[in-house]
Every structure is written in structure tokens, then in C-alpha cells.
Amino acid sequence: MALNDPLPTIQSKLFIGGQWCDGVEGGTIAVENPYNGEKLTDIAEATAADVDKAVVAAQRALPGWRALAAHERGRLLLKLADAIEADAANLARLEAMDTGHPIRDCLSLDVPRTVLCFRYFGGMADKLEGSVIPVDAGFLNYVEREPIGVVGAIVPWNFPLMFTSWKMGPALAAGNTVVIKPSEITPLSTLRIGELMQQVGIPNGVVNIVTGYGHTAGQRIAEHPDIGKVAFTGSTATGRRIVQASASNLKKVQLELGGKGPNIVFQDANIAAAIGGSAFAIFHNQGQACIAGSRLILHEAIAEEFLEKFAALARSIKIGDPLDPETEMGPLTSRLHQERVLSFVEIAKEQGGEVLTGGKRPEGDEFAAGCFVEPTIVRAKPDHRVAQEEVFGPFVTVLTFQTDEEALEIANGTDYGLGAGLWTQDITRAHRFAKRLHAGMVWINCYKRVHPGSPFGGVGQSGYGREMGFEAMREYTVTKSVWVNVDAQIPPFYKR
């Protein structure tokens, strides 16, 4: 499909047991385009009863799916990756209209990363190995990993297509079945993945998609007694509620939560590279990324030069229609979130922060109906709210330092610990900081690099557990230790 071809019918129903259906209670949720406020479709509203149906379907499909040879599960995931790649233009347009992502990013990042993830875990399916443990003479002890069972996956609204693959890929490769809930704000690409799964022959019930609100469908997933694991990406506050709800059956929980990423630029950095990398770190996807470099920590010696060029770059970013290939920044994903991001501008001013650029809706009739916020740069102090709380928008807080120890103290001065970056040509400093930064991921002379083979996740209030790589396969399996009495020995204290 080409970008200028008409879109096929947008899927709007629940996907349960291989069937597209309305919700039990018959409710619907309007899905809007954040660029112009127009309604894209009405999706079926899943409630707790629909989640229960989906879990039953997943349970029925589980024995057959986990018994399927691992290479066969992998083959189906590879077929799915091929189908997504062939459907790239369609998926990219759905994602752009639903989320506000610029179409150029959807085509160059979101869809290719989704394809790569399913391909990686398609190849991983038959690569997960057990182990043999040296134990007492006369005994064999081996350890194998088994699928958890039914997995509940809750996908956020900022990268719905990509995060669908991050959760489905390893869960399915490991032999689990899935009940997945995309955000009610941005469900369209996940529903399209469901259609492609049908096309490539993934068995009915292996994946079930329930589109509903977090406080109903999401809550039921978190508390359901027959779901063995819940994997959640979203806010720290919601993550805490999921942990509480999961206690009903002590299910395994994996949380990828908020961040307040420090992005440190040292005096010896390649300034041009750091400016471009720092802009990508915070302004890509309108700053709506948990790993965004939202705290720009500059050495005082280069701060003024850096900020002059950085602000000029920010002001030059082309804002507009996400479907325009020239657009570099689209709208935020919802009106409510736009209002939240703008509220932090007022918070910054109240605490004595200085707005260097942006901080408002862009001017012009073409932006009136959309959820836009200009790229925003604010000088502040480390204890200001905008330097401590996640804004989750195109909003970067600038802080300065004089010494390495001061930079480290500022960088580690929040409760979050997801991603962190630093720009320096001093290799000793680079490795020293990588070791001492309180973060699950560290980027040196780059930012926001991800790959299916590299573990992704945080520490502290940024959650626990890891997406991607061998770590993800372990997250979606449980360990079983098997002992064999090779010599048929009788315990000495029972001999007669």
C-alpha cells in the first residue's frame, strides 16, 4: 500500500477467541485525531466481563500454543513481521492519525522497530536454553524454563504500535497466550496487528485484544485470578495500583514506568553532536517518551553557547500535520495531556524558572484545533518541580554544573532511574559515570537508542523487570528445577 492509497476500514471491535465482537455491555469509546479533533471511529468498550471472556479464550488456547514446537511459534512470528512490513504504509498512517506522531517517524522508526522486534523474538523462540547444575554424585539436576500461562499486557498511548510488539513478541515466543489492552486513546494500530495475526494463521485465542478504560478493563487484568503475569508500561502512579491489584493471586508483575532522564553535556563534548542528540532526546515524539532526556545538565563553561544554538534548533522544528512528510513535530496525543504539559510552564514560572523558548501553543489557524505545544526550554534549579516531576512533553529543564561530582549529584537527584545520557570525549569519565548513574540504561554520546537484543527497563520509581533480549524471555517464563536420582540411591537414614 502507498501513502496516498485510501485507508482500509478501521477495525473497531474487540478481538476475543479469534472473533471480532462488540463489548458485553455494548458501550463504545470515541477515538479522535489529535491534529484536528475529528473523530476517527468509535471502538467497542471492553469491561470486566469482556476481560473475563478474553481470559477464558486465552486459557483454551494455551495448551496447544505451549505444546507447539518452539520453531513453529517462531515461524508464525516471522510471518507476522513480514505482514507488518508489507502493511507499513497503512500502519504508519493509522499511528500518525491516532497518536500525532509525524508520519516520517512512523515510517522510519515505529514500524521498522515493530518489525525488528517480532523478527528478533521469532528467531529467539527456539533459542531459550535450560542448564544442568553440578550437584551431589549420583544425581542429575537440570533447570528448564516454562511459559507462565496467560499474560495480561497493558500498552500505553505514546508508542502503541511499538509497545504492542515489545510485549507480544517475547510473551508469544516463550509459549504464553496474551490478553492485551491498548490505551483507549490510541488503539488502532494494535487492532490492526490483530487482523494481521489472523491473516498469518496465529491460532484463535492465542492473542485477545480488549479496548477499554484502565479503571475497568485494565483493573480487571491486574486483579484477574487466572492471569499469571501482567506487563505494564505507563505512569508510576498507575504502576503502584497494578501492584496492589495483582496481590489477589500473587501474579508476576513487570513495570516500565516514568522517567526524568538526565542528559549531561561536559565541557569537552562534541557540541554539534550533543545539540542534535539532545534535541532528539526530548523533542522526538513531542517528548512523550519515558526515556526522554528531559533534564539537560550543562557544564557552565559551554552552557550559553550550547543554549543559544539549542534554542535556535528548537525554534526551527517544523510543527504541523502528522501526515505531512515534512512535519518534524506533531500534536500531543490528547487535549487533556496538552493542558497538563502547559500547566508545567506556569509551575516553572511560579518557582522562578526562566522560559527560554516555547511554553505555549503555536500561533496560527492551522494549529487551533490540534493539541500542539511548542518545543519548550526552561532554566530551573534542581529542586524545582519541573526538574523533579515527569512532564512528558516537548519540555526540557536546563540545569548547570561546575564539577563532575556536582553533575552526578544533579543527575541522580530524582526518584526515577530509567535512562540517562552523557556527552564527553573522556573515555575514563564516560565509564565512571555509566557505573555511577542511577539508571537502567545509559547512553554515551547518543540518546534513546533501543534494540530488541538489548534489555530495556529501569530502577527506583521507574519500575522493575526488563523488556527485550534474553532478559525478556526470562521475564515471560518461570524456572523449574528437576532432580533425577540416577543411581536409584536410598537415603542412608532410611536404609534397613
Side-chain angles (χ1 to χ4, degrees):
M1 172 178 287
L3 284 175
N4 57 357
D5 288 345
L7 274 171
T9 302
I10 296 175
Q11 182 56 252
S12 60
K13 294 184 180 294
L14 311 181
F15 186 51
I16 299 176
Q19 303 298 315
W20 296 98
C21 57
D22 293 321
V24 169
E25 297 184 11
T28 60
I29 302 171
V31 178
E32 296 181 351
N33 185 331
Y35 168 64
N36 54 25
E38 293 180 357
K39 184 167 74 173
L40 295 170
T41 190
D42 290 303
I43 58 167
E45 179 187 353
T47 61
D50 298 295
V51 172
D52 290 347
K53 285 177 56 181
V55 172
V56 169
Q59 286 180 306
R60 288 174 178 165
L62 180 61
W65 183 249
R66 70 183 296 173
L68 193 65
H71 73 270
E72 284 296 320
R73 293 197 300 269
R75 183 183 63 82
L76 287 169
L77 290 178
L78 293 172
K79 286 183 65 177
L80 177 61
D82 291 343
I84 292 169
E85 190 168 54
D87 199 48
N90 180 33
L91 277 165
R93 284 190 295 170
L94 281 175
E95 196 80 338
M97 291 189 303
D98 203 12
T99 67
H101 292 199
I103 189 75
R104 71 174 204 164
D105 290 347
C106 295
L107 286 169
S108 65
L109 294 174
D110 297 29
V111 175
R113 285 176 172 178
T114 300
V115 171
L116 188 63
C117 184
F118 277 119
R119 284 205 174 122
Y120 179 88
F121 286 107
M124 175 70 79
D126 60 356
K127 308 298 187 300
L128 190 64
E129 299 176 344
S131 56
V132 176
I133 311 299
V135 292
D136 303 324
F139 292 89
L140 168 67
N141 176 229
Y142 63 90
V143 176
E144 58 184 7
R145 303 196 71 90
E146 296 183 342
I148 292 170
V150 178
V151 168
I154 302 176
V155 172
W157 49 259
N158 57 328
F159 290 99
L161 177 62
M162 191 174 69
F163 281 127
T164 292
S165 69
W166 284 23
K167 295 190 181 345
M168 274 194 198
L172 297 178
N176 302 284
T177 54
V178 176
V179 176
I180 188 167
K181 190 197 89 66
S183 168
E184 70 279 1
I185 301 172
T186 57
L188 302 185
S189 59
T190 303
L191 291 169
R192 179 60 182 158
I193 294 293
E195 292 180 318
L196 297 177
M197 286 184 162
Q198 277 191 305
Q199 291 179 18
V200 302
I202 291 178
N204 293 343
V206 169
V207 173
N208 305 272
I209 305 172
V210 289
T211 52
Y213 293 107
H215 65 272
T216 52
Q219 175 74 18
R220 184 57 178 159
I221 288 173
E223 68 187 14
H224 201 291
D226 295 321
I227 288 179
K229 171 182 174 170
V230 60
F232 170 76
T233 298
S235 73
T236 299
T238 303
R240 292 192 188 100
R241 291 195 292 272
I242 286 174
V243 171
Q244 292 170 347
S246 71
S248 62
N249 67 332
L250 299 179
K251 61 172 58 68
K252 190 173 185 178
V253 178
Q254 180 180 333
L255 301 174
E256 198 270 281
L257 306 176
K260 194 66 180 174
N263 182 30
I264 311 167
V265 183
F266 292 92
Q267 187 175 6
D268 68 337
N270 180 325
I271 298 300
I275 289 170
S278 298
F280 178 75
I282 186 58
F283 298 133
H284 168 241
N285 193 36
Q286 298 74 260
Q288 298 171 134
C290 50
I291 58 173
S294 55
R295 287 183 297 146
L296 183 56
I297 305 171
L298 304 175
H299 192 283
E300 286 187 355
I302 53 95
E304 295 308 317
E305 174 195 357
F306 188 102
L307 285 174
E308 181 180 351
K309 295 176 180 177
F310 187 63
L313 189 158
R315 287 189 288 268
S316 75
I317 292 173
K318 180 174 173 52
I319 306 172
D321 181 354
L323 292 178
D324 181 348
E326 299 299 315
T327 293
E328 296 174 315
M329 180 182 288
L332 275 69
T333 301
S334 72
R335 183 71 63 194
L336 184 65
H337 191 57
Q338 177 198 37
E339 294 170 356
R340 182 182 184 276
V341 171
L342 289 172
S343 74
F344 273 96
V345 177
E346 300 308 312
I347 290 169
K349 292 177 181 177
E350 289 169 5
Q351 291 194 299
E354 178 189 2
V355 178
L356 301 181
T357 191
K360 63 185 188 301
R361 299 174 177 85
E363 298 176 357
D365 293 341
E366 67 270 34
F367 303 113
C371 305
F372 291 95
V373 173
E374 290 181 346
T376 300
I377 304 172
V378 175
R379 273 188 186 268
K381 295 181 178 180
D383 61 346
H384 286 184
R385 285 183 60 187
V386 293
Q388 293 291 319
E389 299 178 24
E390 186 176 41
V391 179
F392 213 69
F395 185 117
V396 61
T397 302
V398 178
L399 310 161
T400 58
F401 69 95
Q402 292 182 327
T403 67
D404 283 14
E405 284 303 314
E406 185 182 3
L408 190 66
E409 182 180 356
I410 294 170
N412 289 340
T414 75
D415 293 332
Y416 294 108
L418 190 55
L422 59 122
W423 302 81
T424 181
Q425 298 187 59
D426 183 334
I427 190 66
T428 302
R429 172 193 284 143
H431 286 294
R432 184 173 71 248
F433 266 72
K435 187 173 186 64
R436 296 181 66 188
L437 282 166
H438 184 66
M441 297 166 287
V442 176
W443 297 282
I444 300 172
N445 294 327
C446 59
Y447 210 99
K448 285 177 67 173
R449 299 299 305 179
V450 296
H451 186 277
S454 179
F456 183 105
V459 295
Q461 295 302 301
S462 292
Y464 48 78
R466 292 294 181 267
E467 316 252 29
M468 317 294 252
F470 273 92
E471 294 292 332
M473 293 293 283
R474 296 185 183 101
E475 294 282 352
Y476 285 94
T477 55
V478 291
T479 302
K480 177 179 286 184
S481 176
V482 180
W483 286 79
V484 182
N485 186 344
V486 177
D487 295 336
Q489 297 179 35
I490 300 172
F493 42 89
Y494 282 129
K495 288 183 178 179
R496 296 290 187 268

